[in-house]
Structure formats: structure tokens, C-alpha cells
């Protein structure tokens, strides 16, 4: 069955690759690189939405409620290179059906859209998070509490803004 996908991501190369891969599978695709373009150019069709969490420095979480309002029946998957527990929880609260960390394959993305209900049989990881991962999660939680404002987050953590920016620029280790 042909589905219509809306890809909202500021990375033009990533969008082109994902759109081509979905097109080869028989789906139609609309691409938007920012919030305004996503709301203006999105077709009024039943859609599956792939939403990047980091849109040119703005949080994709801010766009999620507007997409949910415009497409109440759409399945929205948040796909990000900056995955954290705090943003995953917020994305689900705001209406995302799944949350995936980049890099994710097209098959993983398609599977995420196929699994829109909760899975109580999901296994629990027997290993605790590493100290680096815990630090990343804490930074993300405090950043979310301050609406994504780097300066306010740095003040709350009693650290220099540039130090926080450097720490946030490092991708967390996948466990």
C-alpha cells in the first residue's frame, strides 16, 4: 500500500537519500527543511511524518504539536542524532508514536511506523548506563527544563556556556 511521507529535517542530503529510498518502495514523499515549510507545503493527505529533533538549532519538539493539530491521525516518528531519555519522553507526550536514534535504516524506520502501540515485552537492558551516557542524559534533561536555552542551562549547571556547548556537540555513546 502506498503511503505518503513528510520528512522534516534540515539536512538536505539526508532528506534526499531517505526520500529516494522511500520512493523506491513505492511511497510518495514531501520534504521540508524547517517548521514553516513543513506546515506550508505538507499535503492534506493521511501521512507518516519523520521529524528531526534538531532543526537548525531549533527543537523539533516545538513543531510536533502543530503537526499533531494539522494531522491528527498521522503517525509521527522522531528521528535524531541527539537521542536522550528526556527528549524521548517529551516526544511521546507530545504525540510521537516512536523515537529513533540516528543512524537508523529505512527498514528500522518502516518498522517504527508499523509498531505504534506499546510493547510490554520489551526486554530491560541488564547493564546500567555508562557515566558518559548519564552525563549526557542529565545535560539533556536540564536543557529541556530550560526550553533549549543554552545560556540558561549553563547558569543552572553552574558552568561556562561554551563548555556546555562543547559537551552537547559530542554525540552520546550508543549502549
Amino acid at each position: 500500500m502506498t503511503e505518503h511521507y513528510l520528512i522534516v529535517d534540515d539536512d538536505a542530503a539526508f532528506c534526499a537519500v531517505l526520500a529516494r529510498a522511500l520512493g523506491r518502495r513505492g511511497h510518495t514523499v514531501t520534504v521540508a527543511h524547517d517548521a514553516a515549510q513543513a506546515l506550508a507545503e505538507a499535503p492534506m493527505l493521511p501521512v507518516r511524518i519523520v521529524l528531526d529533533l534538531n532543526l537548525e538549532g531549533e527543537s523539533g519538539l516545538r513543531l510536533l504539536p502543530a503537526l499533531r493539530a494539522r494531522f491528527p491521525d498521522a503517525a509521527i516518528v522522531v528521528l535524531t542524532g541527539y537521542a536522550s531519555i528526556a527528549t524521548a519522553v517529551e516526544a511521546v507526550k507530545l504525540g510521537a508514536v516512536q523515537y529513533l536514534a540516528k543512524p537508523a535504516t529505512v527498514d528500522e524506520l518502516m518498522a517504527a511506523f508499523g509498531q505504534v502501540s506499546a510493547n510490554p515485552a520489551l526486554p530491560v537492558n541488564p547493564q546500567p548506563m555508562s557515566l558518559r551516557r548519564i552525563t549526557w542524559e542529565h545535560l539533556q534533561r536540564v536543557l529541556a527544563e530550560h526550553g533549549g536555552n543554552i545560556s540558561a542551562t549553563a547558569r543552572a549547571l553552574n558552568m561556562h556556556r561554551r563548555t556546555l556547548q562543547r559537551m552537547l556537540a559530542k554525540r552520546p555513546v550508543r549502549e
Side-chain angles (χ1 to χ4, degrees):
M1 180 169 82
T2 299
E3 297 281 347
H4 188 90
Y5 284 82
L6 170 61
I7 302 169
V8 185
D9 196 308
D10 57 345
D11 183 344
F14 172 78
C15 287
V17 169
L18 183 56
R20 189 170 37 251
L22 291 170
R24 285 187 192 135
R25 293 172 186 235
H27 303 292
T28 56
V29 179
T30 301
V31 173
H33 298 294
D34 58 35
Q37 189 180 17
L39 294 172
E41 295 184 13
M44 290 305 295
L45 301 169
V47 298
R48 291 180 169 193
I49 301 171
V50 179
L51 177 62
D52 187 23
L53 187 63
N54 186 5
L55 296 171
E56 296 181 347
E58 289 293 320
S59 174
L61 293 178
R62 293 177 197 232
L63 176 59
L64 215 156
L67 290 171
R68 176 60 55 220
R70 175 130 185 221
F71 305 103
D73 297 327
I76 301 174
V77 171
V78 173
L79 183 64
T80 182
Y82 300 92
S84 73
I85 294 169
T87 55
V89 169
E90 289 303 313
V92 171
K93 283 181 181 177
L94 292 169
V97 296
Q98 288 289 343
Y99 182 97
L100 296 176
K102 289 179 182 176
T105 67
V106 175
D107 290 331
E108 290 171 328
L109 184 62
M110 302 286 286
F113 281 109
Q115 186 185 26
V116 296
S117 58
N119 180 3
L122 191 66
V124 175
N125 187 352
Q127 296 293 322
M129 286 192 287
S130 68
L131 183 56
R132 290 177 77 184
R133 184 64 191 201
I134 291 170
T135 302
W136 173 261
E137 294 292 340
H138 179 66
L139 292 175
Q140 292 297 316
R141 184 182 56 77
V142 176
L143 184 63
E145 288 172 359
H146 290 89
N149 184 311
I150 299 288
S151 296
T153 302
R155 280 191 299 275
L157 293 170
N158 197 25
M159 64 189 322
H160 194 275
R161 183 183 54 80
R162 290 292 299 147
T163 302
L164 176 60
Q165 286 176 315
R166 281 192 294 277
M167 291 175 77
L168 291 170
K170 294 179 182 177
R171 307 264 172 146
V173 178
R174 286 186 96 171
E175 297 178 0

